[in-house]
């Protein structure tokens, strides 16, 4: 038995650490708190940090880290993993292992959710928080080959709870607290990390952020949309340098302890109540797809 408190941070590998750290600060509004040993630690708002950029020749997701609920130590996590016959590596501040499709997972000690320390965010004093950035890291999303195997692993081994399913095996959404999901899977048959998502205050801030990102040359293959599952208003920014998307969202459904998992039909409304399904490129990360998106933009704008 193990219990999680929240998603803690995500690590993305990038080839050019300086450029990536600059982008996340200037384009997305995060704050770089520290840089050491080829890693940049970035935070939303008052978070300690929620994004670790690692310099690497293999860009993309390195791992997602979840913090343990108070009362559960790293030693408890090790014992739990041994009981489930999961190979892991223990470091000073984490236990690290992989899920059935090869994605890195880490469990780290408890620390409070951003914005819940002592005072509400608006009541604090700061000399470093910038305007326009997200409030906090919200969730991660993976394209997977076997939804059931991933749900089984993340509920029994990692300690998440199933919130809802899309169809019988088209997708699944898992939570650790009140947010509808901190983790989601979409069955495309080919495993690949899809997106890391950050929570914004409202649609007004999304509008401001999308305009700002567009001015920095970013584009949005899908969105804004209103998801039927999760209820969040969202849009997806292509992040070619890390072979994934960044979702900026607000207004996610809040779930209580009495929730029973639902099965949403695998249809347009479950994906986007406003109507448009994502383009095929939304599920692709190869250079040809990214260049095709760039070319379509040039065809319109040049
Ligand atoms: Fe998402």
């Amino acid at each position: 038995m193990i219990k999680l408190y929240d998603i803690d941070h995500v690590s993305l590998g990038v080839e050019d650490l300086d450029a990536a750290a600059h982008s996340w600060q200037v384009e997305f509004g995060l704050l770089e708190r520290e840089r050491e040993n080829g890693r940049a630690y970035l935070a939303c708002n008052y978070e300690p940090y929620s994004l670790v950029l690692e310099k690497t020749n293999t860009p993309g997701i390195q791992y997602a880290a979840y913090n343990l609920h108070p009362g559960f130590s790293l030693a408890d996590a090790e014992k739990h993993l041994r009981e489930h016959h999961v190979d892991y590596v223990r470091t000073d501040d984490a236990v690290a292992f992989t899920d059935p499709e090869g994605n890195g997972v880490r469990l780290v000690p408890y620390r409070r959710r951003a914005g819940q320390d002592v005072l509400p965010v608006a009541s604090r004093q700061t000399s470093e928080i910038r305007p326009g950035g997200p409030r906090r890291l919200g969730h991660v999303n993976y394209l997977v080959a076997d939804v059931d195997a991933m749900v089984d692993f993340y509920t029994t081994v990692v300690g998440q709870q199933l919130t809802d399913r899309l169809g019988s095996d088209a997708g699944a959404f898992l939570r650790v607290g009140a947010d509808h999901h901190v983790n989601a899977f979409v069955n495309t048959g080919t495993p690949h990390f899809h997106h890391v998502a950050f929570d914004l205050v409202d649609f007004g801030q999304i509008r401001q952020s999308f305009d700002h990102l567009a001015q920095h040359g970013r584009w949005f293959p899908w969105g804004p949309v209103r998801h039927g599952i999760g209820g969040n208003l969202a849009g997806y920014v292509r992040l070619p340098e890390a072979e994934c998307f960044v979702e900026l969202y607000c207004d996610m459904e809040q779930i209580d302890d009495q929730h029973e998992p639902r099965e949403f039909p695998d249809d347009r409304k479950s994906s986007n109540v406003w109507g448009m399904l994502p383009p095929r490129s939304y599920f692709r990360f190869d250079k040809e797809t990214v260049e095709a998106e760039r070319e379509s933009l040039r065809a319109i704008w040049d």
Side-chain angles (χ1 to χ4, degrees), residues 10-14 16-33 35 40-45 47 50-54 130-134 136-139 193 195-200 212-213 216 218 237-248:
V10 170
S11 175
L12 295 179
V14 292
D16 188 335
L17 185 61
D18 288 337
H22 178 82
S23 291
W24 278 96
Q25 292 183 85
V26 172
E27 298 173 14
F28 292 95
L30 273 64
L31 176 70
E32 183 173 344
R33 293 207 182 279
R35 192 181 300 201
Y41 296 81
L42 293 110
C44 305
N45 217 315
E47 291 173 337
S50 63
L51 177 68
V52 178
L53 299 173
E54 295 190 40
R130 301 169 185 191
R136 60 184 173 86
L137 170 65
H139 64 270
F193 182 65
H195 64 257
V196 54
F198 292 91
D199 176 78
L200 274 59
H212 180 73
L213 284 158
H216 284 272
R218 299 290 187 182
V237 188
R238 173 75 73 177
L239 202 68
E241 64 270 31
E243 295 184 4
C244 64
F245 292 92
V246 177
E247 176 188 347
L248 298 176

Side-chain angles (χ1 to χ4, degrees), residues 81 85-89 96-98:
L81 292 171
H85 310 289
V86 174
D87 291 332
Y88 65 88
V89 173
F97 50 99
T98 57

Side-chain angles (χ1 to χ4, degrees), residues 1-2 68 71-83 88 90-95 107-109:
M1 172 64 188
I2 200 168
L68 294 161
F72 291 86
S73 66
L74 287 180
D76 294 330
E78 286 184 277
K79 180 170 179 285
H80 173 77
L81 292 171
R82 284 196 299 271
E83 287 170 356
Y88 65 88
R90 168 72 192 264
T91 65
D92 286 345
D93 57 0
V95 288
L107 300 178
V108 298

